[in-house]
Amino acid sequence: MAGILAWFWNERFWLPHNVTWADLKSTEEATFPQAEDLYLAFPLAFCIFMVRLLFERFVAKPCAIALNIQANGPQIAQPNAILEKVFTAITKHPDEKRLEGLSKQLDWDVRSIQRWFRQRCNQEKPSTLRKFCESMWRFSFSLYVFTYGVRFLKKTPWLWNTRHCWYNYPYQPLTTDLHYYYILELSFYWSLMFSQFTDIKRKDFGIMFLHHLVAIFLISFSYVNNMARVGTLVLCLHDSADVLLEAAKMANYAKFQKICDLLFVMFAMVFITTRLGIFPLWVLNTTLFESWEIVGPYPSWWVFNLLLLLIQGLNCFWSYLIVKIACKAISKGKVSKDDRSDIESSSDEEDSEPPGKNPHTATTTNGTSGTNGYLLTGSCSVDD
């Protein structure tokens, strides 16, 4: 075990040339990041999760009720033993051949059978009330941590000149504000990591799981080798759009359509500007080029930048989804759903119609219009 630990904490990997772990031991004169500090994130993540449960029950739920958001879930499919057996044992999405066979067996038209499967899939989906509560919690926490980050960073020299991220590196003392900000962000991502398995399931579960893993690893990694200054820039920049996204989702659930659309436009502008403009031109520029010039590369420097480039790849993916939704909204005037949406998987048909041979052809958008399809998705942050 001692050999493994010695290999893992090899100074020549983690630290610049001629720097040792002994040089970064905290003293009475200066405090430096210590790897054991990261253990604080686990009890704090549990506390954040418990605060979330209390917040959603005693704050978010009363707010939702005051906004007339009901706890009613999707419409229940009428009981049918044959279709239930197909749904549970064979497929949730029958092909055309199977639909035709079921149509003859039940004497139902194909569209009614499709509607039944759609309603059956929607039965297990969360209510609007639950989604509102989740979004309100994320909005509140994101607003707090982003506000704290801005207030902290505006007093630091590296916000105004990123070269200060590398001057005297790695002998940069750890301040109380920086330590709190870093551990709070790490704890939040750990809480998301665990709660993701109980939260509303979305189609981009795998992408978000990867995002949380990379974020946790990146925060922990940059803390251990004292790249915390540039890490605060990454965190604050990626938190900036999350507040608008969650606010837009809450407006959508409350059916404040004009506010929802306005907030989505603001979110899209902030997201694309920060993730595809400021992040590569400001943050990646300092981590790749200014740090090379002032400190020089070493093994963990390469790993850190590779992780940042992976984050940038995720940013490009989510920006593509945002642009895709925006283009659909412009060309069609409405968007009912998006590739990562947790919206019910129904088409535009009204699901309240009973099965029969001649269903009505009237359509509706399930209460979604404008940009709502996107706004029902999960958070895009390194959240983000």
Side-chain angles (χ1 to χ4, degrees):
M1 180 61 68
I4 294 175
L5 290 175
W7 170 81
F8 181 81
W9 293 111
N10 189 305
E11 294 165 343
R12 298 287 59 81
F13 171 80
W14 288 95
L15 303 173
H17 186 61
N18 290 331
V19 179
T20 67
W21 291 119
D23 298 330
L24 298 178
K25 282 293 183 183
S26 297
T27 64
E28 293 182 358
E29 291 77 21
T31 301
F32 297 104
Q34 305 296 311
E36 53 267 26
D37 296 344
L38 300 177
Y39 291 125
L40 295 172
F42 293 105
L44 188 54
F46 176 77
C47 291
I48 289 175
F49 182 73
M50 296 307 295
V51 170
R52 171 186 173 174
L53 295 180
L54 294 173
F55 179 90
E56 289 187 356
R57 180 172 181 178
F58 296 107
V59 179
K61 186 175 181 180
C63 290
I65 294 174
L67 293 170
N68 295 319
I69 297 175
Q70 303 299 319
N72 298 331
Q75 183 177 349
I76 305 298
Q78 77 173 69
N80 186 290
I82 295 175
L83 294 181
E84 184 68 26
K85 183 177 180 180
V86 174
F87 182 87
T88 56
I90 302 177
T91 179
K92 296 181 180 181
H93 305 285
D95 55 23
E96 184 177 350
K97 184 177 180 181
R98 189 176 299 276
L99 287 172
E100 291 177 355
L102 291 170
S103 176
K104 294 178 181 178
Q105 184 177 358
L106 298 172
D107 196 28
W108 286 15
D109 62 274
V110 171
R111 290 187 67 186
S112 296
I113 297 174
Q114 289 175 323
R115 185 177 300 107
W116 187 94
F117 276 92
R118 194 163 56 241
Q119 291 176 345
R120 182 64 181 83
C121 285
N122 290 341
Q123 279 182 203
E124 300 173 357
K125 295 190 176 180
S127 66
T128 303
L129 177 65
R130 183 186 170 193
K131 291 187 283 188
F132 179 89
C133 291
E134 180 181 310
S135 290
M136 188 170 180
W137 159 250
R138 295 195 180 203
F139 166 80
S140 301
F141 189 90
S142 298
L143 180 62
Y144 168 72
V145 76
F146 176 66
T147 302
Y148 181 88
V150 170
R151 292 181 62 186
F152 162 65
L153 283 172
K154 71 179 183 181
K155 299 180 292 185
T156 64
W158 61 87
L159 175 67
W160 313 106
N161 182 358
T162 53
R163 297 178 72 86
H164 282 278
C165 292
W166 313 107
Y167 290 152
N168 197 37
Y169 176 84
Y171 306 104
Q172 299 167 341
L174 179 69
T175 65
T176 302
D177 288 341
L178 194 154
H179 177 259
Y180 172 77
Y181 185 39
Y182 238 69
I183 297 301
L184 182 65
E185 288 273 15
L186 179 61
S187 302
F188 180 63
Y189 277 108
W190 272 119
S191 71
L192 287 180
M193 190 74 173
F194 297 129
S195 65
Q196 189 177 16
F197 295 95
T198 58
D199 284 345
I200 298 167
K201 294 296 186 295
R202 296 180 172 90
K203 293 182 179 180
D204 68 335
F205 175 87
I207 294 294
M208 290 305 298
F209 187 78
L210 173 64
H211 169 271
H212 296 336
L213 274 179
V214 173
I216 289 171
F217 191 74
L218 188 57
I219 294 172
S220 303
F221 192 90
S222 59
Y223 185 85
V224 169
N225 65 1
N226 205 14
M227 288 185 178
R229 289 188 175 184
V230 72
T232 58
L233 301 180
V234 176
L235 290 171
C236 191
L237 191 66
H238 282 73
D239 287 337
S240 59
D242 291 346
V243 177
L244 292 170
L245 174 62
E246 299 303 335
K249 289 161 70 175
M250 288 192 296
N252 172 55
Y253 299 141
K255 294 182 170 58
F256 297 151
Q257 191 57 52
K258 291 184 179 180
I259 297 176
C260 169
D261 291 341
L262 175 62
L263 287 170
F264 174 77
V265 171
M266 294 171 62
F267 159 73
M269 293 174 62
V270 171
F271 187 95
I272 294 174
T273 300
T274 55
R275 308 290 180 99
L276 299 189
I278 298 175
F279 182 69
L281 297 178
W282 188 46
V283 175
L284 291 182
N285 175 68
T286 193
T287 61
L288 288 170
F289 303 110
E290 291 179 349
S291 64
W292 183 295
E293 177 187 344
I294 298 172
V295 180
Y298 51 99
S300 67
W301 178 93
W302 291 101
V303 175
F304 181 71
N305 279 287
L306 284 174
L307 289 172
L308 290 178
L309 290 173
L310 178 57
I311 291 292
Q312 182 61 11
L314 294 174
N315 289 339
C316 292
F317 170 75
W318 283 313
S319 297
Y320 159 76
L321 292 181
I322 295 172
V323 172
K324 181 179 178 181
I325 297 305
C327 290
K328 285 184 178 179
I330 293 172
S331 62
K332 298 182 179 180
K334 67 181 180 71
V335 180
S336 61
K337 141 178 213 219
D338 137 61
D339 292 337
R340 343 170 26 223
S341 182
D342 62 10
I343 191 173
E344 288 78 7
S345 59
S346 59
S347 66
D348 290 343
E349 298 164 326
E350 177 62 62
D351 288 336
S352 61
E353 177 189 330
K357 289 190 174 183
N358 297 302
H360 298 296
T361 58
T363 62
T364 181
T365 58
N366 246 347
T368 63
S369 62
T371 56
N372 295 5
Y374 185 82
L375 297 175
L376 291 174
T377 69
S379 174
C380 295
S381 68
V382 168
D383 263 202
D384 204 30

